[in-house]
Amino acid sequence: MARVFSGVQPTGNIHLGNYLGALKQFVELQEDNECIYCIVDEHAITVPQDPKELREHILDVAALYLAIGIDPKKSIVFVQSQVSGHAELGWVLCCQSYTGELSRMTQFKDKSKNKESAGTGLFTYPVLMAADILLYDTDIVPVGNDQKQHIELCRDIAQRINNKYKKTFVVPEGRFLKAGARVMALDDPTKKMSKSAENVHSRVSLLDDENKIKKSIMKATTDSEGVIRYDVENKPGVSNLMSIYSALSGMSFEDIEKKYEGCGYGDFKKDLVQITIDALKPIKERYEEIRHSDYLIEVLKDGARRADEIAQKTMARVRENFGLGIK
Ligand code: ATP
Ligand code: LTN
């Protein structure tokens, strides 16, 4: 069985981009793999957070993980800061990475753009991410396309250390989903759908009510051609909606094109609203059941204990291979 690891930040509402780009794969992977799913609160504090809100968001994401079908009997679900190995290994890896390679990370460039100064944590963010992955001898990392560069960096650091010291880490592979791998913003299909965008209608969050879903999709940017056709270059808005449609319904682009031949965008969007509402309804119901339950806390405590057991073993190996501490 392969070991799978992935993480989601506890910031704001999880949206369709997170779901189709990452979370849906999490559920599928747990059938044949040993999966570890983490809520990366230490990554969240690379930008300012309200402490009270952060605590709430951690539980929001945990409840959503379970609501979409991650089964704590099959997978380990835990919060990053509950396992000290992440920060500890993060430091060791910082000493093995270069400012040059971190400066090339596009996420850092995006997030620090137009700011007078950027936090060091934002700069070393991908190193902590590498630590998350390497701490668990991970084989596969399911993520959205936007994380490709970070996965490459993680592999580089692991290989660098394996060559320089004794073999210490498993070199992981990224697993990138095709359809829906990059869901774009509904109001601007040149940008990715994001939790942090100001316009709430740029995204559909998994917990949005029916009215909000309807509004956001009906408002979505299309074009003036009036033809439902998949063509990312010339029709980015329509293609994005088709990707969402296809990912939620299982229909191919060809079939969607056939179904809406001669129809306007209005009919297509109305159906997409319904498909989205139907897909999110069971998730929302399960979420409400467990969000404030003792069960959720128990799952996270048990997850942290199981994760820590694996992490301790890796850290012992790291200390040994680097000559840290005493025997
Ligand atoms: P945001 O920019 O919205 O704050 P993020 O990328 O910081 O989001 P995370 O919560 O860290 O969000 O991401 C969780 C997972 O969702 C990651 O694997 C990421 O690649 C994926 N993801 C985020 N946005 C999208 C998107 N628009 N399309 C596809 N996958 C996405
Ligand atoms: N950087 C990721 C979140 C993340 C992650 C990880 C994903 C942190 N650590 C380890 C996979 C594996 C993001 O912003 N989406």
Side-chain angles (χ1 to χ4, degrees):
M1 269 218 284
R3 166 97 34 93
V4 170
F5 182 96
S6 198
V8 173
Q9 292 198 52
T11 43
N13 262 334
I14 302 289
H15 51 70
L16 275 179
N18 302 134
Y19 180 55
L20 299 175
L23 298 177
K24 221 169 139 213
Q25 295 185 76
F26 291 7
V27 181
E28 288 156 11
L29 282 165
Q30 68 181 350
E31 297 312 321
D32 310 308
N33 301 281
E34 190 187 340
C35 296
I36 305 176
Y37 296 127
C38 183
I39 297 144
V40 292
D41 54 348
E42 290 169 337
H43 277 96
I45 59 166
T46 54
V47 295
Q49 297 289 342
D50 176 271
K52 265 202 195 126
E53 273 179 18
L54 181 58
R55 279 261 160 100
E56 292 300 315
H57 284 153
I58 289 170
L59 296 178
D60 290 348
V61 172
L64 262 179
Y65 263 162
L66 303 188
I68 61 161
I70 291 172
D71 179 353
K73 288 201 195 79
K74 294 181 186 151
S75 303
I76 297 177
V77 180
F78 77 107
V79 182
Q80 186 182 32
S81 62
Q82 307 285 99
V83 176
S84 61
H86 292 258
E88 208 177 337
L89 182 58
W91 174 253
V92 175
L93 301 187
C94 264
C95 300
Q96 300 295 327
S97 56
Y98 299 108
T99 52
E101 60 190 352
L102 297 186
S103 313
R104 285 194 291 274
M105 295 293 121
T106 54
Q107 182 171 303
F108 171 70
K109 285 197 244 178
D110 286 350
K111 292 202 172 175
S112 60
K113 208 165 50 193
N114 303 328
K115 297 223 170 75
E116 242 171 59
S117 66
T120 314
L122 206 54
F123 187 63
T124 56
Y125 176 111
V127 181
L128 180 59
M129 176 163 163
D132 299 341
I133 297 166
L134 300 181
L135 195 54
Y136 297 98
D137 294 333
T138 303
D139 301 299
I140 299 168
V141 189
V143 276
N145 264 334
D146 61 316
Q147 296 299 309
K148 247 186 189 156
Q149 213 186 10
H150 290 167
I151 302 293
E152 272 314 305
L153 178 81
C154 173
R155 289 168 53 85
D156 287 348
I157 295 175
Q159 274 157 348
R160 188 176 300 154
I161 292 172
N162 285 349
N163 291 336
K164 207 155 141 193
Y165 298 83
K166 267 197 219 146
K167 184 177 180 305
T168 309
F169 296 119
V170 171
V171 180
E173 306 260 345
R175 167 84 58 94
F176 309 97
L177 236 200
K178 264 222 173 114
R182 197 170 163 82
V183 178
M184 308 312 282
L186 297 177
D187 62 338
D188 178 358
T190 63
K191 294 196 186 119
K192 74 163 196 163
M193 187 177 281
S194 155
K195 291 176 206 150
S196 38
E198 241 166 71
N199 181 4
V200 294
H201 294 297
S202 67
R203 60 183 165 262
V204 168
S205 296
L206 296 195
L207 301 175
D208 277 350
D209 62 33
E210 298 192 359
N211 252 333
K212 159 70 177 57
I213 294 173
K214 192 171 169 190
K215 248 196 183 153
S216 302
I217 292 178
M218 294 314 285
K219 268 173 179 273
T221 302
T222 48
D223 52 56
S224 54
E225 194 190 23
V227 176
I228 316 286
R229 178 165 48 86
Y230 191 79
D231 177 352
V232 176
E233 215 157 276
N234 299 306
K235 296 169 73 64
V238 173
S239 303
N240 186 41
L241 295 180
M242 284 179 71
S243 295
I244 297 173
Y245 193 119
S246 165
L248 291 179
S249 69
M251 266 170 85
S252 68
F253 293 143
E254 246 182 14
D255 289 344
I256 297 172
E257 283 171 6
K258 263 193 215 132
K259 180 168 178 187
Y260 293 99
E261 223 176 273
C263 297
Y265 294 148
D267 291 332
F268 169 70
K269 279 180 168 178
K270 255 187 229 153
D271 287 354
L272 180 57
V273 168
Q274 202 50 51
I275 286 170
T276 308
I277 289 174
D278 292 345
L280 299 188
K281 197 166 171 225
I283 296 178
K284 244 167 32 197
E285 284 171 359
R286 179 76 182 127
Y287 173 88
E288 298 299 341
E289 260 171 43
I290 55 180
R291 170 59 179 83
H292 296 283
S293 67
D294 294 339
Y295 166 73
L296 182 62
I297 304 297
E298 279 314 308
V299 165
L300 293 176
K301 281 190 182 160
D302 182 57
R305 195 184 46 71
R306 288 155 68 199
D308 192 52
E309 227 170 79
I310 306 170
Q312 293 284 355
K313 284 194 192 131
T314 309
M315 283 318 297
R317 196 167 70 226
V318 169
R319 285 189 210 100
E320 173 69 25
N321 292 357
F322 278 75
L324 289 167
I326 52 172
K327 262 228 180 316

